[in-house]
Amino acid sequence: MTEAAESPNLHMAPPSVYLDLWVWIRLARAVNGAPREASDLAVLAAVRDASAAGVVFPLSATHYTELGKIADPRQRADVARIMAKVSHCRTLRSRRVLLRHQMLHAMHVSFGRPAFRPSPPRVLGIGAAWALVGERAPLVLRGPSGDIDMDMVPELRGLLRRANQYAEFQLLAGPRDEEIEGLRRLGYRPEVVRDAARSRLEWEETYAGILADDSISRHELRVRVQAREVLHEHYELLQELLDEYRIDLHREIGLDTARPKSGRPRMTAFVDRMPSVRIAVDLKAELFSNQSKTWTVNALYDIDALGIAVPYCHVVVPDREMANLLSRSKAGSRNGTRVVTRLRDLPGELADLRARIRTADGGRSDNNWIAPDEDFCTDMEVLRALAPRHPAA
């Protein structure tokens, strides 16, 4: 079986572009009249035009996490505003949901179970909940008897749509300083995310220290990194699916306990059939091979994001270091994804994507999320102006 047959095309139907947070920050500066480079104004115009034409600029869970690390609420709001207006808060589905499908497909190809090729999940959705847990969680209007049927009061649809847009913008921008105390009383605990990230960082730093005293080949390094990735990041999901389909992993990979490395070839092939895991393994192996490199939480976030963005988006704009590592591992070409290394080259890529847009791609049709000729609502004053017209709300 060819590699192309083993690894299906995971790209979304509409032309899509994943922008790393640094790009969104540059676009926000251009919006505010302070572009870092003169060419950023042309990039901003091209991005806005492409979005209006139907090119999708999805956000990921990583965007929400990284944007939350910006200390200045005003800067967060400025960046969130351009992100919301360009992306319409469309998001890539949570990593666990997408990895479940990839793992099932790898099991189907490698072990013959499930017996049928698993159906891919819907990748593109709306909002923070879609990115973080894989489900939509829109606001609804409720009255004394429960949820209000919008078919009964269609004049409220616009207000509800705008309220949902504003709520998603606020989730992206994060709380203002004066709101944090009140949110903590409701369970807001941003330190939980920071602690989890710190634990993951320590896991990688510990192994980097071990490697400093353990000279091994690049091939052996990659095998070990692959094993660590599965055990630390995806073991729960792997065990869940092995149990669900009653797969004896040792038997399927041909492990002979008298020859501990006997199962390696089939196990490494199985893991490499999951595109997102393969990208993470390759990027981490490259980082570990450079013993002068200091691991950072940002590197972990970038690897999380690119592991999803590269297989599912048509164009990806990472930072310079990650672009270089993706090039070394040939992740872009292997997945049929263009990796842009210079921001000023993005308008050319967007022109190519716009030429591929089909009417069926329907960039703005999801649940009337954006009405025709309507800008994304990032202003509470808009809701205040609308609300008096709909006293039933």
Side-chain angles (χ1 to χ4, degrees), residues 69-115:
K69 291 168 59 181
I70 297 176
D72 182 353
R74 176 172 292 184
Q75 184 184 5
R76 286 202 311 271
D78 287 345
V79 178
R81 190 168 290 107
I82 185 63
M83 293 173 86
K85 290 185 175 183
V86 168
S87 73
H88 310 304
C89 284
R90 285 189 163 81
T91 51
L92 297 169
R93 202 161 191 176
S94 71
R95 188 169 67 147
R96 181 178 174 85
V97 172
L98 300 181
L99 259 296
R100 188 179 196 280
H101 168 253
Q102 291 185 27
M103 195 172 287
L104 282 174
H105 183 272
M107 288 176 170
H108 166 74
V109 173
S110 302
F111 312 139
R113 279 178 290 171

Side-chain angles (χ1 to χ4, degrees), residues 21-78:
L21 182 61
W22 71 269
V23 180
W24 292 110
I25 292 173
R26 291 269 290 267
L27 294 178
R29 291 187 59 173
V31 169
N32 290 339
R36 178 174 173 180
E37 297 180 9
S39 58
D40 288 357
L41 294 172
V43 173
L44 173 63
V47 166
R48 282 172 160 168
D49 290 346
S51 175
V55 175
V56 176
F57 293 82
L59 306 178
S60 71
T62 299
H63 282 121
Y64 289 85
T65 303
E66 288 193 315
L67 190 56
K69 291 168 59 181
I70 297 176
D72 182 353
R74 176 172 292 184
Q75 184 184 5
R76 286 202 311 271
D78 287 345

Side-chain angles (χ1 to χ4, degrees), residues 14 20 25 30 44 55-56 59 61 77 121 126 138 156 171-173 184 193 211 240 263 306 326 335 366 381:
D20 193 86
I25 292 173
L44 173 63
V55 175
V56 176
L59 306 178
I126 292 171
L156 293 180
L171 285 171
L172 188 57
R184 281 193 173 279
V193 176
L211 287 173
E240 174 187 311
L306 294 172
L326 288 170
N335 288 277
D366 195 338
E381 293 305 317

Side-chain angles (χ1 to χ4, degrees), residues 92-244:
L92 297 169
R93 202 161 191 176
S94 71
R95 188 169 67 147
R96 181 178 174 85
V97 172
L98 300 181
L99 259 296
R100 188 179 196 280
H101 168 253
Q102 291 185 27
M103 195 172 287
L104 282 174
H105 183 272
M107 288 176 170
H108 166 74
V109 173
S110 302
F111 312 139
R113 279 178 290 171
F116 299 97
R117 192 179 297 271
S119 299
R122 181 180 175 187
V123 177
L124 189 65
I126 292 171
W130 187 263
L132 296 170
V133 299
E135 300 296 333
R136 186 90 202 276
L139 300 177
V140 296
L141 289 178
R142 287 184 178 148
S145 302
D147 293 354
I148 297 175
D149 184 354
M150 287 296 99
D151 289 335
M152 301 297 294
V153 281
E155 66 272 15
L156 293 180
R157 282 201 185 100
L159 177 63
L160 182 59
R161 180 177 64 246
R162 300 293 248 171
N164 270 285
Q165 291 172 12
Y166 182 73
E168 289 296 344
F169 163 71
Q170 286 296 334
L171 285 171
L172 188 57
R176 294 184 294 272
D177 292 343
E178 64 271 19
E179 297 171 332
I180 291 178
E181 183 178 348
L183 289 173
R184 281 193 173 279
R185 289 195 291 269
L186 298 174
Y188 178 63
R189 295 292 183 272
E191 61 272 13
V192 173
V193 176
R194 293 196 294 269
D195 290 344
R198 191 177 300 112
S199 175
R200 294 179 65 200
L201 179 61
E202 290 172 355
W203 168 258
E204 307 298 358
E205 288 176 332
T206 298
Y207 192 56
I210 293 173
L211 287 173
D213 301 318
D214 185 12
S215 179
I216 58 176
S217 68
R218 287 181 66 89
H219 173 74
E220 180 66 18
L221 172 62
R222 188 181 186 280
V223 172
R224 294 186 188 183
V225 170
Q226 188 188 67
R228 295 177 81 255
E229 186 70 11
V230 172
L231 291 173
H232 192 253
E233 300 288 341
H234 309 296
Y235 179 77
E236 182 182 337
L237 176 60
L238 174 63
Q239 194 60 54
E240 174 187 311
L241 295 181
L242 290 175
D243 291 343
E244 181 177 345

Side-chain angles (χ1 to χ4, degrees), residues 18-20 60 62 92 95 275-277 279-280 283 298-313 315-319 321-326 331 335 337 339:
Y18 185 86
L19 303 178
D20 193 86
S60 71
T62 299
L92 297 169
R95 188 169 67 147
S276 294
V277 179
I279 289 168
L283 293 177
N298 284 343
L300 292 176
Y301 287 152
D302 285 344
I303 291 170
D304 288 347
L306 294 172
I308 298 300
V310 172
Y312 292 97
C313 296
V315 174
V316 172
V317 190
D319 66 26
E321 179 185 35
M322 287 296 161
N324 182 42
L325 297 182
L326 288 170
N335 288 277
T337 300
V339 178

